[in-house]
Amino acid sequence: MELRQLASFLAVVEEGQFARAAARLFLSPPAVTGHIQRLERELGVQLLERSPIALTPAGERLVPHARTMLAAANAATDAVTDLRADDDLPLRVGVMAPGSAELTPAILRAFRRAQPNVPLSVESLGFAEHTTALTEHKVDLAFVRPRPEDERLNVDVLTTEPRVLIVPSAGPGGDADALRLSDVLDLIFVGLPEGVPQVFTDYLYFAPALNGIPPRCGVDEAATIQDVLTSVSAGRGTGAALYSFSRLYRWPGIRFVPVVDAPWAQSVLASRRDDLRPQVRAFRTLATTMARELGPRLASASEAARSLILPEP
């Protein structure tokens, strides 16, 4: 029994004529007749009376099953076609610079080598897009910090690092080898624009460790790390970051000073929990594998400062 035979059978039943059924299927009338005759021979029963066209008892029994089989075949075709269409879509990766330090470009390069047929695009994210870039479907995965608190998202931790303050070289704290959380209260921070989620604001200003005491903010507002660095280098405020930033950004007029008693913080790869595409799963698996393999090497780059930083909680 073939699907084309069932399609011809149903077309004749629904159209009431072989000619109209053939036109509907873009076949010749003899082809439709041949399909039904072969189907009747295979089943060993007559399905249609020919003059006039009418269903036999066997034909009546076959109709609902034929419709179910054709519907299932169409659904399977649609599912495969949809998957092929998904494969053609670019995998959009958001990066709140610098992402997860040196891991970010390494993961992107490795995925391009491992999945050369999957188009990959990289989008720059601002602080306000900490979670909305994902929940509003601007990107499919995102390198962000700190860990989002959103049940709609999957989160894979890639780095766990000490905290540093970004201070003007000639400003408060600029001559210090290390600072403590108590020193944070005396500094004026670069502000954040409206719309930045509270979890990011709390992270940036050490709010949990300072019992929620609000920071003193200057007039500058920063939407990205580049904005923070620009304001700090101009002596217009203080920023905060993960320790890896001190390896990645060499700006004149700034220093990265460890905060020795601050809780360590994480950079993560986040994705939508309901996005089950194999490309997303493959990217997450690759990222977490590389974080396990390369993480210890990246951590070794921090050893020079470890004597100033308390052990990870």
Side-chain angles (χ1 to χ4, degrees):
M1 184 185 302
E2 299 178 4
L3 291 176
R4 60 179 179 173
Q5 295 171 352
L6 294 174
S8 291
F9 167 68
L10 285 179
V12 172
V13 170
E14 293 166 0
E15 297 295 337
Q17 291 184 1
F18 279 83
R20 283 204 297 263
R24 176 171 132 181
L25 298 173
F26 300 100
L27 298 172
S28 66
V32 171
T33 300
H35 288 166
I36 294 174
Q37 288 175 340
R38 284 195 291 275
L39 181 60
E40 288 177 325
R41 284 198 298 270
E42 290 177 19
L43 295 176
V45 294
Q46 185 176 348
L47 299 172
L48 293 171
E49 300 287 354
R50 274 23 180 210
S51 298
I53 292 177
L55 285 167
T56 66
E60 290 178 353
R61 287 191 178 186
L62 180 62
V63 167
H65 298 289
R67 285 181 175 145
T68 299
M69 293 174 68
L70 287 174
N74 290 334
T77 301
D78 290 342
V80 173
T81 301
D82 288 345
L83 181 59
R84 188 177 61 226
D86 286 343
D87 287 343
D88 292 337
L89 293 175
L91 191 64
R92 301 163 301 170
V93 180
V95 179
M96 182 188 290
S100 295
E102 294 90 344
L103 279 172
T104 304
I107 291 168
L108 292 170
R109 287 194 299 268
F111 186 82
R112 283 193 169 107
R113 289 195 299 269
Q115 302 277 351
N117 296 324
V118 178
L120 189 68
S121 68
V122 180
E123 310 285 342
S124 178
L125 303 182
F127 298 151
E129 298 173 298
H130 181 247
T131 55
T132 58
L134 284 165
T135 59
E136 296 177 2
H137 291 249
K138 177 181 177 180
V139 298
D140 305 307
L141 301 117
F143 291 92
V144 296
R145 61 190 179 281
R147 182 190 188 107
E149 300 295 335
D150 193 318
E151 62 183 10
R152 295 170 294 180
L153 303 180
N154 286 314
V155 176
D156 299 302
V157 175
L158 300 184
T159 69
T160 303
E161 306 179 43
R163 297 296 304 281
V164 298
L165 286 169
I166 312 171
V167 299
S169 300
D175 59 351
D177 291 326
L179 293 168
R180 302 187 74 84
L181 283 168
S182 56
D183 300 315
V184 172
L185 298 174
D186 298 326
L187 300 174
I188 297 177
F189 276 81
V190 178
L192 293 171
E194 187 176 347
V196 173
Q198 189 65 44
V199 65
F200 187 86
T201 301
D202 290 346
Y203 149 81
L204 188 69
Y205 298 138
F206 304 93
L210 295 174
N211 297 317
I213 297 174
R216 299 165 61 203
C217 292
V219 296
D220 285 5
E221 291 185 345
T224 66
I225 185 59
Q226 286 78 12
D227 296 339
V228 173
L229 295 170
T230 298
S231 293
V232 174
S233 65
R236 297 173 60 83
T238 301
L242 301 177
Y243 184 79
S244 59
F245 285 44
S246 62
R247 301 194 302 271
L248 302 174
Y249 293 104
R250 303 293 183 184
W251 282 54
I254 67 170
R255 288 195 65 225
F256 295 92
V257 183
V259 184
V260 295
D261 56 345
W264 290 29
Q266 299 170 332
S267 73
V268 305
L269 178 68
S271 59
R272 287 183 299 278
R273 204 175 282 275
D274 62 358
D275 191 343
L276 304 179
R277 287 177 296 164
Q279 304 96 310
V280 173
R281 292 198 300 271
F283 194 99
R284 291 180 60 201
T285 299
L286 178 63
T288 53
T289 300
M290 293 187 67
R292 285 195 301 269
E293 293 177 353
L294 299 180
R297 289 185 235 170
L298 298 180
S300 67
S302 303
E303 286 304 319
R306 287 300 170 93
S307 62
L308 299 174
I309 300 171
L310 296 179
E312 179 185 357

